[in-house]
Amino acid sequence: AAKPYSEHWNNVMNELLELDFTMDPTFNIYEASRDLQRARRAEWHEEYTLPSLWEFYQPSKVSHGSYWHDWGTEQEVAWKNNYKLWMTFINEYKNRGGRVTTGSDSGFIFQLYGFAYIRELELLREAGFHPLEIIKSATLNGAEALGMDDKIGSVAIGKLADFVIVEENPLQNFKVLYGTGAVKLTEDNEVVRVGGVKYTVKDGIVYDSKALLADVKRQVDEAKAKSNYTIKQPGIKN
């Protein structure tokens, strides 16, 4: 909360740099705090969020992270201002040589596994990271933080083959990495979906990513069918 570039701010920054501290901000997991409606209306919830998880997301005094007792404009504006401070610190930490990695902390506050991780890439971009710096944060930096950069983190002879294949350019638009793809308008005025990871290669084994996503949808459909469950927004009974 210190003023950016103030003496206290720089003291904290310098101490963390001296400690070779790794920052994994997980911006996404708190994003509902600055825009609750956006987070709870994300298009993937309808098909890929299990009923049990959707129930866990709802306002509650007992469920972790479900603290929307009386959430409104004032709270969201305060969090938007907090994000400006937070992102400024993280971006400058990276600029001064600090290690920043990519994580999602998914599973509560309307952040869904897989999708939230891609959102984290977008939020790092908002913080001021160049797209290539974001890719490095999500790959090599993470491997270094885990002490595994001799095995993973980059494409090199002798390392494990761990990467994803997508037919679009994520450096131009990270949204093409979402399982639901990115919306695009063609020259013929047709609305289409492009992207979505096509293949995931893990330890040299190739997986059909779209088939895996379809399997998640099947599991969600089966869970809904068991109890005739329909996703509804908070407070809506019918």
Side-chain angles (χ1 to χ4, degrees), residues 126-182:
E126 182 183 332
F129 284 53
H130 185 279
L132 287 173
E133 291 178 322
I134 297 170
I135 296 298
K136 184 181 178 184
S137 292
T139 55
L140 188 57
N141 285 5
E144 289 178 348
L146 294 171
M148 296 178 65
D149 50 305
D150 61 328
K151 296 181 177 66
I152 60 174
S154 61
V155 179
I157 294 174
K159 289 191 175 185
L160 297 176
D162 285 8
F163 51 88
V164 298
I165 299 172
V166 61
E167 294 179 310
E168 301 293 320
N169 181 8
L171 298 181
Q172 186 179 36
N173 180 11
F174 280 120
K175 294 185 189 300
V176 301
L177 295 173
Y178 283 117
T180 48

Side-chain angles (χ1 to χ4, degrees), residues 201-219:
V201 182
K202 179 69 174 69
D203 293 348
I205 301 172
V206 181
Y207 298 89
D208 184 332
S209 301
K210 294 184 184 296
L212 293 174
L213 188 63
D215 190 49
V216 173
K217 182 179 183 304
R218 177 189 59 76
Q219 293 179 54

Side-chain angles (χ1 to χ4, degrees), residues 5 21 30 61 76 82 96 100 104 106 116 163 170 192 207 216:
Y5 307 104
F21 196 80
Y30 301 104
K61 293 182 179 180
E76 290 188 355
N82 180 56
R96 297 188 188 184
V100 177
S104 68
S106 302
F163 51 88
V192 297
Y207 298 89
V216 173

Side-chain angles (χ1 to χ4, degrees), residues 72-166:
T73 303
E74 294 305 303
Q75 289 79 14
E76 290 188 355
V77 169
W79 268 90
K80 287 176 181 178
N81 290 331
N82 180 56
Y83 262 75
K84 292 177 184 177
L85 292 170
W86 191 10
M87 287 179 165
T88 299
F89 189 91
I90 295 296
N91 190 51
E92 183 63 16
Y93 189 71
K94 174 263 299 177
N95 289 344
R96 297 188 188 184
R99 184 187 299 108
V100 177
T101 57
T102 303
S104 68
D105 199 13
S106 302
F108 61 104
I109 320 185
F110 294 100
Q111 296 300 326
L112 185 59
Y113 305 98
F115 293 94
Y117 187 82
I118 307 306
R119 182 58 184 160
E120 185 71 9
L121 304 182
E122 292 191 284
L123 290 169
L124 285 167
R125 184 72 184 97
E126 182 183 332
F129 284 53
H130 185 279
L132 287 173
E133 291 178 322
I134 297 170
I135 296 298
K136 184 181 178 184
S137 292
T139 55
L140 188 57
N141 285 5
E144 289 178 348
L146 294 171
M148 296 178 65
D149 50 305
D150 61 328
K151 296 181 177 66
I152 60 174
S154 61
V155 179
I157 294 174
K159 289 191 175 185
L160 297 176
D162 285 8
F163 51 88
V164 298
I165 299 172
V166 61

Side-chain angles (χ1 to χ4, degrees), residues 188-202:
D188 298 326
N189 204 39
E190 179 186 3
V191 179
V192 297
R193 291 270 177 162
V194 298
V197 173
K198 189 170 184 178
Y199 297 110
T200 298
V201 182
K202 179 69 174 69

Side-chain angles (χ1 to χ4, degrees), residues 36 39-41 45 49-69 107-111 229-237:
L36 178 55
R40 63 182 173 84
R41 294 307 301 241
H45 288 314
T49 298
L50 283 166
S52 57
L53 187 55
W54 185 255
E55 289 298 318
F56 182 66
Y57 287 155
Q58 304 313 304
S60 171
K61 293 182 179 180
V62 296
S63 296
H64 176 59
S66 299
Y67 49 82
W68 318 112
H69 304 160
F108 61 104
I109 320 185
F110 294 100
Q111 296 300 326
Y229 189 89
T230 301
I231 283 184
K232 296 178 181 178
Q233 294 302 317
I236 296 176
K237 303 299 182 181

